[in-house]
DNA sequence: GTGAAAGCGCTAACAC
DNA sequence: GTGTTAGCGCTTTCAC
């Protein structure tokens, strides 16, 4: 709380302004001996003020330490010049560039960015989104955590522009920008198959997350298309918690018919898998969904199916601003391609498959 | 722009609300047949409304799709329940966790976070900060890009709570939370010296960045304290651009008296140095300032002087909220310790030093 | 319990 | 050129 009306030793105390309560246009007008509207004109750089008057107003502004209160301006104008971004975790290496890209687009349109992390909690997502609606942000970009976004219907009906990104909304028809999760995963798994693998494990994120489900579908499609069976122990969706991933990976690599390759469903799972494989007795092939920094410096360098998180964010934000500028056509669904990047780990030959004659170990 | 007054095919259109212009408390009051203040009481969960009245108000709220306009509330109450964070780059792996930590503290205090990236541009920093002041955020957390923050004096004098983090403000006395950059760098370089190195190169960030300067001082102090000379070609501050870092690293490793170890001034420099060293003929020791993901999986694993970016953010945000709650003592300077994490690269012996007899190559 | 009136600080509309 | 008035949608004050 600003220490209202109290005098303190430190700090510059602008002449005429009470400490903690800022001068208003009215104060500036009084000091400059002009009308309120004239101050407004000067502050907003509008035409029709004589140079001398303008000068006097500027002096008063400086003397009083005046700064326009945008809260009042916003209330009057009806637009906040800000957009909201709700995602899972601002600090996640996948979402951080997405967030930054949204910020850049917002900046190009003169808008500020308010963002919040849902921590993968649907209730927290809802609270955040509705708080942003109450603030009357001009638009919303949402990476959904929940699976039912009907709570947004009244908001959208009332004019709140909303674009979903990375994952589709639940039970709601709205704009969405996605990566081609199914196709990307299928390509990654097919790549392993092309290098001779028949026993491939899938470790993914929680099955209720749409992207995770799509990637699992891609894995299954690639296996099926190659005429390969998917054994029960080879599919392990679940949390990205390191202990869980480690346990599943270790289990798949053990026994008398271990997998010879792993396909991992996102960056966090991949990193844990790399750690497990680093301690493993013989080489196991690996392709991960999502690129990550230093993947090329590991040994072996990690092959990935790369998304472009910044492009996801940029595309979503640009779509949002197109809506704000009036584009009123039906909700759009944009899918961005993924890119397979072979670096070494995905090109390792199968080792230890009892059914295939390959490099001995 | 919400399509004001226009009717469209999609979307739920709440009864009685014009499309694009939302119902107000007045509308709700009219519909419920009560006074404005009663609606306000219900919306804010205040005492003194009979159950039947409350029921009627709730029905009207639902029917109209009413949501309180916080812009108006903010104007009236004088507090925005939001804080601003300005930093260099939201997507940087060092700043992303800092930002997330600030967000969590804000959330705990019921505040939203508005953040912006300055892109290391003082003018952009100033614009962002002043835009946040105009919005009357309750407080500011700033990772400064500029070196003169006197522009903030009137704002601080008028009651804007401000905490600087990671780097000190320029020409302004204000709260600041820093890492012990000097001590951390000195410890990192002393570690290399303790492992036999006498020819150690320093590649840092731009010299005008306070943290970069402090780390350089730490390097020089460690060298001096060990009675070692610092040859002209061994110190290379500059941009974190990969080409620049690569060129300087390559130069230091060439010639007839190359360095046997590198100390790198931040995470981005370290990563580029790792790439250069990976392609180098013989082992070169490396200690980097800042920890980074997967440092332990590289070969050799990278020894670092680690900061705790989340702790920096948390500490700064908590200090900010203490100020908002009224703490009015003199500006505080908090320094958080760094931690040396030996992983392998910093413990490699010197190779190729003509003055020292060590492992041949 | 409830509500009418004033006003937060600005901009829009319309005087002069 | 300049100033006056009426709101934006809420909360606050105070009367009923």
């Amino acid at each position: 709380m600003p220490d209202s009306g109290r005098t303190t030793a430190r700090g510059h105390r602008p002449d005429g302004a009470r400490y903690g309560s800022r001068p208003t246009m009215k104060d500036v007008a009084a000091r400059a001996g002009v009308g309120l509207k004239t101050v407004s004109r000067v502050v907003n750089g509008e035409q029709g003020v004589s140079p001398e008057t303008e000068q006097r107003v500027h002096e008063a502004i400086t003397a009083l330490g005046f700064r326009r209160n945008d809260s009042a301006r916003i209330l009057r104008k009806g637009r906040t010049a800000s957009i909201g971004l709700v995602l899972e975790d601002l600090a996640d290496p996948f979402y951080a560039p997405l967030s930054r890209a949204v910020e850049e687009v917002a900046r190009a349109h003169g808008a500020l960015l308010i963002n919040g992390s849902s921590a993968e909690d649907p209730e927290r997502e809802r609270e955040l989104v509705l708080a942003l609606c109450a603030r009357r942000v001009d638009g919303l970009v949402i990476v959904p955590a929940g699976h039912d976004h009907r709570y947004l219907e009244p908001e959208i009906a009332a004019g709140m522009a909303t674009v979903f990104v990375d994952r589709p909304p639940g039970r709601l028809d709205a704009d969405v920008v996605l990566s081609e999760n199914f196709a990307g995963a299928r390509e990654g798994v097919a790549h392993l198959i092309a290098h001779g693998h028949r026993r491939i494990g899938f470790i993914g994120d929680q099955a209720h997350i749409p992207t995770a489900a799509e990637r699992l579908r891609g894995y299954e499609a690639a296996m099926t298309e190659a005429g390969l069976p998917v054994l029960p122990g080879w599919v392990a969706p679940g949390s990205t918690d390191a202990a869980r991933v480690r346990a599943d990976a270790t289990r798949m690599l053990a026994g008398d018919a271990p997998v010879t390759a792993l396909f991992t469903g996102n960056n966090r799972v991949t990193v844990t898998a790399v750690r497990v494989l680093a301690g493993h007795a013989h080489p196991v092939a690996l392709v991960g969904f999502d690129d990550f920094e230093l993947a090329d410096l590991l040994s072996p360098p990690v092959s990935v199916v790369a998304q472009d998180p910044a492009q996801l964010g940029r595309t979503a934000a640009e779509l949002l601003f197109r809506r704000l500028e009036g584009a009123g056509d039906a909700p759009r669904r944009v899918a961005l391609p993924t890119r397979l990047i072979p670096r070494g780990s995905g090109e390792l030959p199968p080792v230890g498959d009892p059914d295939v004659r390959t490099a001995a170990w």
Side-chain angles (χ1 to χ4, degrees), chain A:
Chain A
M1 206 80 63
D3 10 19
S4 315
R6 193 156 61 76
T7 316
T8 80
R10 72 181 162 110
H12 166 76
R13 188 172 165 287
D15 181 22
R18 279 209 355 281
Y19 196 93
S21 81
R22 305 201 53 148
T24 70
M25 281 193 181
K26 202 174 151 198
D27 300 326
V28 175
R31 167 130 189 167
V34 301
L36 183 54
K37 180 63 197 175
T38 300
V39 177
S40 174
R41 286 198 180 95
V42 172
V43 168
N44 294 299
E46 284 167 26
Q47 296 287 328
V49 180
S50 76
E52 304 85 58
T53 311
E54 183 172 347
Q55 172 70 13
R56 285 226 311 291
V57 171
H58 271 134
E59 279 167 15
I61 287 175
T62 308
L64 297 175
F66 168 81
R67 178 164 314 281
R68 183 180 66 199
N69 184 335
D70 278 350
S71 295
R73 169 173 235 253
I74 283 167
L75 178 59
R76 188 63 240 241
K77 300 208 83 154
R79 298 188 72 255
T80 56
S82 56
I83 66 170
L85 170 63
V86 175
L87 40 66
E88 195 209 321
D89 177 4
L90 202 49
D92 184 285
F94 179 77
Y95 291 117
L98 189 155
S99 173
R100 176 66 198 271
V102 172
E103 188 205 331
E104 288 300 326
V105 176
R107 181 179 137 83
H109 289 262
L112 287 177
L113 178 65
I114 306 183
N115 51 24
S117 303
S118 67
E120 205 69 273
D121 173 353
E123 183 49 30
R124 190 164 155 178
E125 172 208 304
R126 189 170 162 279
E127 277 169 18
L128 266 168
V129 166
L130 292 181
L132 292 167
C133 289
R135 298 253 171 161
R136 299 292 192 269
V137 292
D138 296 330
L140 282 170
V141 176
I142 304 176
V143 178
H147 309 100
D148 186 348
H149 294 92
R150 282 176 298 179
Y151 71 85
L152 264 169
E153 273 176 4
E155 311 299 328
I156 291 175
M160 178 64 65
T162 308
V163 176
F164 288 81
V165 63
D166 185 48
R167 307 172 184 172
R171 304 165 142 261
L172 185 77
D173 191 25
D175 289 319
V176 56
V177 179
L178 302 165
S179 283
E180 285 183 344
N181 292 292
F182 172 77
R186 183 168 63 173
E187 183 183 9
V189 175
H191 184 73
L192 288 166
I193 295 170
H195 282 80
H197 295 273
R198 301 164 45 84
R199 312 173 60 84
I200 304 174
F202 174 90
I203 308 183
D205 205 340
Q206 302 176 75
H208 66 79
I209 300 176
T211 49
E214 282 294 288
R215 293 170 198 173
L216 174 53
R217 278 213 311 122
Y219 160 82
E220 289 165 342
M223 296 294 274
T224 303
E225 284 160 15
L228 297 175
V230 174
L231 266 57
W234 293 358
V235 173
S239 86
T240 56
D241 175 69
R244 193 287 293 187
V245 172
R246 179 172 291 276
D248 278 325
T250 305
R251 184 178 46 67
M252 287 184 197
L253 296 169
D256 32 298
V259 300
T260 66
L262 285 177
F263 184 79
T264 45
N266 74 22
N267 55 350
R268 279 163 297 182
V269 174
T270 305
V271 166
T272 303
V274 167
R275 290 180 198 283
V276 172
L277 298 186
H280 199 62
H282 61 271
V284 174
L286 172 68
V287 171
F289 207 106
D290 291 340
D291 200 5
F292 55 97
E293 196 171 14
L294 300 178
D296 59 318
L297 282 185
L298 300 178
S299 35
V302 178
S303 301
V304 299
V305 176
Q307 302 184 72
D308 187 342
Q311 187 61 37
L312 279 171
R314 203 175 302 124
T315 306
E318 276 163 0
L319 180 50
L320 180 68
F321 280 99
R322 233 174 292 139
R323 293 295 187 201
L324 292 179
E325 283 151 14
D329 46 317
R332 215 168 290 176
R333 183 190 177 90
V334 181
L336 300 181
T338 58
R339 193 163 56 95
L340 176 69
I341 307 178
R343 292 202 179 105
S345 74
E347 295 73 46
L348 295 173
V351 175
D353 185 337
D355 302 337
V356 180
R357 233 166 307 175
T358 52
W361 55 288

